[in-house]
Amino acid sequence: MQRLIISVVMILSLAACSSQKTQTSPMVAHRGHSNVSGGVYLEKDHNRPEPKNAQLATDKEKFIDKMVKKHGFDRQQLRDVLAQANKLDWVINLMDKQAPKSGPVTGPNGAWIRYQNKFITPSNLPKGVDFWNKYNKELQQAYKQYGVPPEIIVGIIGVETGWGRVMGKTRIIDALTTLAFYYPRRAQYFSNELEDYLIMCRDEGVDPFDLSGSFAGAMGYGQFMPSAFRNHAVDFNNDGHIDLWDPVDAIGSVANYFKAHGWQKDKKVAVKADGQAPSLETGFSTKYSVEKLNKAGLKAQSSIDGHKEVSLLSLDMGDRYQYWYGLPNFYVITRYNHSTHYAMAVWHLGLAVKDAR
């Protein structure tokens, strides 16, 4: 779900993004001393007072206790860091608006067409071609090393940030502390992300106040959350640092993420089906035998790589529903963002850029 939240903001921002190239990575511009004893590297102090809220103070102290005992952080410095972070009320409001909603199905209305058109446009595809051409060597190396083809990596980075043009302007420390301590619905998740973020900053010698990203704390070209950074990010350019604001590290990290989640090299993603099956549940998490789908009136238009079970995907085309058989690689894309539309857009955008080259 966190990836879905992040991508909604990227969708809304993409049309207005700047065409200027990204400047020096903030992790390079603000990197100080690595391996700071007992804490994170700080370029300056802001001296903001601790808010006078007993429950908030208790929650922060519990978090600080964990960081001290588990990771060896300096207690007083961490108190100062958390006191200097801003509470962002607009982030809480935006999170509430993105909470899952359900309602009656009213029939096809073109939802997929509108979603796809956010990304696959005549003006956007050349930007993807430029990115692919510039980093073709690294994309091919990622394919060789991790088995993930360039079009999938290009599709992810294109959907998430428009190939680096929209990476977010919210201070990550502010976003994560706001959601960890002022947003009970998902406080535990964001507390864990704040933990990983502070460890990342300590390990990389970067001031935690100098990095910006999405309103939910996602970072860099591929919009990794801090936990994804710690678990899957790689130093793909071999400079001794992992930097998701560096496109080469981002390429390798996205590929590693997909490999870790089960990407099958040179296997199909999904196959379009003939027929209609309005009574069947659809979605990337469904599972049907091919035999059952055949009996329901559906038939794959091409080989499904020998799979006996598939998910049933439905795309709202406005005047009808278009059905697809989702294969394991499609499910892997949804591990980045739990959305059928998102995964299909990533795949189709990558293929469109490939064709445009």
Side-chain angles (χ1 to χ4, degrees):
M1 178 55 67
Q2 65 269 26
R3 308 301 310 164
L4 175 59
I5 293 169
I6 294 162
S7 293
V8 169
V9 175
M10 294 300 102
I11 293 167
L12 297 175
S13 302
L14 190 59
C17 66
S18 168
S19 62
Q20 294 180 353
K21 294 188 180 297
T22 303
Q23 301 300 313
T24 302
S25 161
M27 291 190 80
V28 173
H30 299 287
R31 183 174 288 125
H33 303 286
S34 59
N35 301 318
V36 177
S37 178
V40 293
Y41 166 74
L42 295 173
E43 289 185 318
K44 56 183 178 294
D45 289 321
H46 302 276
N47 298 317
R48 296 187 64 237
E50 189 72 57
K52 296 179 180 180
N53 181 306
Q55 182 58 52
L56 181 60
T58 299
D59 291 343
K60 285 190 175 182
E61 282 301 322
K62 288 180 180 178
F63 176 81
I64 291 168
D65 282 341
K66 179 175 71 171
M67 298 298 287
V68 171
K69 295 174 183 178
K70 186 177 177 181
H71 303 294
F73 274 74
D74 178 85
R75 184 178 299 275
Q76 188 55 52
Q77 190 206 44
L78 197 48
R79 284 174 176 163
D80 294 340
V81 167
L82 296 182
Q84 293 164 18
N86 295 303
K87 177 189 175 187
L88 304 177
D89 290 327
W90 66 267
V91 165
I92 296 173
N93 293 335
L94 193 52
M95 287 292 288
D96 284 335
K97 291 180 180 179
Q98 301 303 327
K101 296 179 177 64
S102 60
V105 177
T106 59
N109 58 28
W112 163 243
I113 301 298
R114 291 191 298 274
Y115 189 96
Q116 179 179 241
N117 288 345
K118 299 287 185 180
F119 307 104
I120 304 177
T121 67
S123 62
N124 200 34
L125 293 182
K127 300 180 179 71
V129 171
D130 289 344
F131 181 86
W132 190 325
N133 288 341
K134 184 173 183 179
Y135 298 106
N136 184 56
K137 177 182 176 182
E138 291 80 4
L139 288 164
Q140 295 301 329
Q141 179 60 35
Y143 173 60
K144 180 179 179 180
Q145 185 169 336
Y146 299 107
V148 182
E151 60 266 25
I152 296 298
I153 301 172
V154 169
I156 284 284
I157 295 176
V159 168
E160 289 291 344
T161 63
W163 301 289
R165 299 193 306 280
V166 184
M167 292 191 279
K169 297 181 179 180
T170 306
R171 259 191 352 182
I172 294 171
I173 189 71
D174 293 338
L176 293 178
T177 54
T178 294
L179 295 169
F181 301 118
Y182 300 93
Y183 194 64
R185 189 171 70 86
R186 302 199 66 200
Q188 186 58 60
Y189 169 78
F190 284 104
S191 177
N192 293 339
E193 293 297 334
L194 178 60
E195 175 184 356
D196 285 330
Y197 177 68
L198 291 169
I199 294 169
M200 179 198 82
C201 290
R202 182 182 65 179
D203 292 349
E204 289 295 324
V206 180
D207 188 327
F209 290 93
D210 287 328
L211 301 181
S212 296
S214 81
F215 76 94
M219 307 175 290
Y221 275 78
Q223 292 291 276
F224 271 32
M225 293 298 287
S227 58
F229 178 97
R230 292 196 67 206
N231 292 324
H232 304 296
V234 297
D235 175 18
F236 203 53
N237 63 6
N238 299 311
D239 69 350
H241 292 282
I242 301 174
D243 182 354
L244 295 180
W245 286 266
D246 181 289
V248 176
D249 280 2
I251 287 169
S253 297
V254 169
N256 187 46
Y257 185 97
F258 273 74
K259 180 181 179 180
H261 285 81
W263 183 268
Q264 299 177 4
K265 184 178 182 181
D266 297 332
K267 296 296 184 180
K268 293 183 178 181
V269 174
V271 174
K272 190 183 296 185
D274 289 324
Q276 294 288 304
S279 64
L280 294 181
E281 181 183 0
T282 60
F284 63 85
S285 61
T286 59
K287 184 177 291 186
Y288 292 100
S289 68
V290 175
E291 181 182 4
K292 181 174 182 177
L293 294 177
N294 287 342
K295 289 180 179 179
L298 296 173
K299 182 178 180 180
Q301 291 186 357
S302 63
S303 166
I304 56 172
D305 286 342
H307 292 288
K308 302 300 183 182
E309 290 187 329
V310 298
S311 61
L312 182 60
L313 312 173
S314 175
L315 299 181
D316 182 344
M317 307 300 291
D319 58 347
R320 71 191 190 287
Y321 292 105
Q322 184 183 87
Y323 290 90
W324 292 72
Y325 288 1
L327 305 179
N329 278 347
F330 188 89
Y331 185 78
V332 172
I333 302 176
T334 68
R335 299 309 84 202
Y336 210 96
N337 178 315
H338 298 175
S339 162
T340 294
H341 277 181
Y342 175 89
M344 195 66 76
V346 163
W347 181 39
H348 284 187
L349 176 61
L351 290 176
V353 173
K354 182 178 183 179
D355 289 343
R357 292 185 75 226

